Amino acid sequence: MFKKSAVQLLGAVLLLNALIGFEAVWPTVWVKPTLKLGPDLLVLMLLMAAWTVWRGRLGQRVLSVLSGFYLLLVVGHYADMVVPNLLGRPINLYWDLPQLPRFVWVSAKGLPWWMSVLAAVALVVFVLAVYRAIHWGFSALADGLWTYRQTVRLWVFVLPLSAVACANYAGVESTWQVVCKPVVPTYWKEAVRLWDAFSPTGAASLLPASTVVDVAMAQPPGTVLTGLKQRDVMLMLLETYGAMLYDQPDANAAVAGSRRELERAIEQHGRHVVSAFYTSPTVGGASDLAHMSVLSGIDLNLHQPRKFDVLMTTERPTLLQVFQREGYEVVGLYHSVFWDWVERSFYRFDRYISGPDLQYTGPAFGFWKIPDQYALAKYAAQYPVKPGDKPRLTVFPTISTHFPFYQVPPYQPDWKRVLSDTPFDPVAAARAQAEQVNWANMRPDYLRTINYCHQWLAGYFEQPEQRDTVYVMLGDHQPTGSVTGPDASWDVPVFVVASDPALLNRFKQLGFSEGLTPAQRKPLGGLHDLTATLLKAFGPESIQP
């Protein structure tokens, strides 16, 4: 009896600890077991032992509740281990939970329907199996605690382990070698974050009283953007274009050729480019935080997720309103959007162009369907600028370099053909459409998307220009951690392309350098600081927002 109970108790502890003591295998979604102890299990064991001595054996209802709670801990620990690998940042329920349905949809798009159903069924069966294993483990643990409730051996076993767990909760670093990361504090931190995010009193204090945009709006009309001399401006928000493309030698080498071709295309057609690094407020996703940080001049950092949502409920001005007041037509070119994007009302575009508005009839690539090259070509053809038209500011978020980096569109050198019903060679298009997501190693495909980005940009700058335009091109954030590797920065490059040397000299005076490779690796600030840089460079010297 003694041996059987001891073996059963030890087996239950080992099983339950294995379910919460694993580590992630970088850079995948897989995990591996470790010999570390799970502090949450140790604390639960102490509570169960105390309850057994004080109140008696745990009933089946309590064991079922404990099993459900422990299943949540297992799921939470898995997310806490894997999300940093995939996104390059800790888990954030405020942003990650709303993105989960889209992530599942993007994943399912590349599979036959029957495989998606099979995967869903397999997931349900797996979760139920894990729950049953947990329930058995807690039942066996309850039996063992009941058997040894009056023995010294029980407390010799439970108390030292519980003391180690409590020390781990308290942040004692010496325990990290034997105890894995606890899960309950992660849930608590996320609960506090969500409470703060949705608290009216907390939200009211999140936004600054005034920004550089407010200062610019307070200037007399017609004085803020005089340095532009009524030139058109295109703000290109380059999706997932991060500093790793410069920092990591293999990534730099993989895109260096196409980067040189892009720089050559810019310079051979009467323009020049300057560049600098800035720090994005996000990494791996949540591009809207980066876009709106630049437009608003507010640091919409990922660690304060409610800021963006609070801002979107206000009528505060952005750079778009500065340009509108200075006589510009402001256009939003969002070819990736196929749904009713209600938040666009905050932006107050004079003209908003979504994916369906571009009438794309060519082959669809990936979840986002329309290649960046087509979007720009169609925009120029469908909405040409004519003599006497207002100067135009176009906001253009690219999409072909978006996670999960597959089905890279072929480049079409003939920009007129790209607007036809057969924009690409059928064989090349079919080959691209047949590509599957490589979840185990996304890095090569990510670099292919960057080369495609350089290629269509070079082709675009080789086309006849309808009107003198200043291009501000910036990466919105680094790619996911599965691509960058651990401990990557949040920095992104910013490029300004123009034909006016005097205008570019203003940017150089503010820290930019010649070419597509910034001379200074240290970022000039956050992307919200770029707002002030743009206003200074585009305005008269007397205006210092």
Side-chain angles (χ1 to χ4, degrees), residues 10 20 23 25 57 76 103 178 187 219 224 234 247-248 270 335 344 346 388 452 516 526 534:
L10 181 60
I20 207 169
E23 292 181 347
V25 179
R57 185 170 182 163
F103 174 80
V178 295
Y187 272 115
Q219 305 300 323
V224 178
M234 179 169 285
D247 294 343
Q248 301 180 12
H335 63 299
R344 75 175 186 271
F346 173 83
Y452 167 73
L516 288 173
L534 293 174

Side-chain angles (χ1 to χ4, degrees), residues 428-498:
R431 187 186 304 117
Q433 289 181 305
E435 293 174 3
Q436 299 297 315
V437 180
N438 186 356
W439 297 109
N441 185 15
M442 291 184 172
R443 189 182 179 94
D445 288 339
Y446 167 70
L447 296 175
R448 285 198 306 123
T449 68
I450 296 300
N451 280 323
Y452 167 73
C453 177
H454 289 163
Q455 192 174 27
W456 69 254
L457 276 172
Y460 177 75
F461 284 120
E462 290 173 343
Q463 304 306 305
E465 193 172 42
Q466 293 183 350
R467 201 159 58 183
D468 193 9
T469 303
V470 177
Y471 300 88
V472 179
M473 307 186 299
L474 59 102
D476 57 7
H477 56 73
Q478 288 262 59
T480 56
S482 59
V483 174
T484 64
D487 303 320
S489 74
W490 288 25
D491 298 342
V492 293
V494 177
F495 315 109
V496 181
V497 178

Side-chain angles (χ1 to χ4, degrees), residues 277-294:
F277 286 109
Y278 282 79
T279 301
S280 174
T282 183
V283 66
S287 300
D288 288 346
L289 299 182
H291 301 176
M292 188 50 67
S293 288
V294 175

Side-chain angles (χ1 to χ4, degrees), residues 257-334:
S258 62
R259 186 191 292 143
R260 283 193 299 269
E261 287 301 307
L262 172 56
E263 191 162 353
R264 179 198 59 78
I266 291 171
E267 293 178 348
Q268 285 191 353
H269 290 78
R271 306 182 186 91
H272 296 280
V273 58
V274 295
S275 58
F277 286 109
Y278 282 79
T279 301
S280 174
T282 183
V283 66
S287 300
D288 288 346
L289 299 182
H291 301 176
M292 188 50 67
S293 288
V294 175
L295 294 177
S296 68
I298 300 173
D299 183 13
L300 301 174
N301 197 281
L302 182 70
H303 299 304
Q304 295 178 296
R306 184 60 173 162
K307 270 188 176 183
F308 175 83
D309 293 272
V310 171
L311 176 63
M312 299 296 283
T313 65
T314 71
E315 295 184 357
R316 298 183 70 148
T318 68
L319 274 180
L320 306 185
Q321 280 65 64
V322 174
F323 274 81
Q324 285 171 328
R325 198 196 63 159
E326 298 300 292
Y328 276 71
E329 178 191 22
V330 175
V331 179
L333 176 56
Y334 285 70

Side-chain angles (χ1 to χ4, degrees), residues 187-223:
Y187 272 115
W188 176 255
K189 179 182 68 176
E190 291 305 307
V192 171
R193 189 202 304 269
L194 292 173
W195 176 264
D196 178 67
F198 291 103
S199 167
T201 56
S205 61
L206 288 175
L207 300 179
S210 179
T211 68
V212 292
V213 171
D214 295 312
V215 174
M217 292 291 286
Q219 305 300 323
T223 64

